[in-house]
Amino acid sequence: MLLMMSEEQFHVQFLKEKANSLGLTFDQYMLFLIFETLEHASVLEQGVDSSVPTEWEEAYRNQQKNEQ
């Protein structure tokens, strides 16, 4: 039986798989993302185009479409 994941559960699972594909632990990948965000903080202050989906959002939408 296939259990439906919430958006949050899907996001965490996506990040775990991404970390694994890079040869990192989940914790290492989270630290990498934090430091990348801090490095590009000026971009965040200027605003991000929220109409462009992130990689995980696109994957979540694709999963939802495939399950329908």
Side-chain angles (χ1 to χ4, degrees), residues 2-5 62-68:
L2 192 64
L3 296 176
M4 189 71 139
M5 284 192 274
N62 289 337
Q63 180 217 28
Q64 294 301 306
K65 288 178 190 175
N66 291 336
E67 290 180 356
Q68 291 179 354

Side-chain angles (χ1 to χ4, degrees), residues 49-62:
D49 185 358
S50 62
S51 66
V52 178
T54 62
E55 186 179 0
W56 79 265
E57 289 170 322
E58 191 67 35
Y60 180 73
R61 288 181 187 151
N62 289 337

Side-chain angles (χ1 to χ4, degrees), residues 4-58:
M4 189 71 139
M5 284 192 274
S6 71
E7 186 173 338
E8 293 81 6
Q9 290 169 321
F10 183 88
H11 192 183
V12 170
Q13 185 61 39
F14 178 86
L15 292 171
K16 286 179 179 179
E17 290 171 8
K18 183 75 171 182
N20 190 43
S21 74
L22 296 170
L24 299 171
T25 66
F26 182 70
D27 293 343
Q28 290 170 327
Y29 188 55
M30 290 297 96
L31 285 173
F32 166 77
L33 291 178
I34 290 168
F35 288 118
E36 279 295 298
T37 300
L38 292 174
E39 183 176 324
H40 301 287
S42 63
V43 173
L44 297 176
E45 290 171 8
Q46 296 168 7
V48 176
D49 185 358
S50 62
S51 66
V52 178
T54 62
E55 186 179 0
W56 79 265
E57 289 170 322
E58 191 67 35

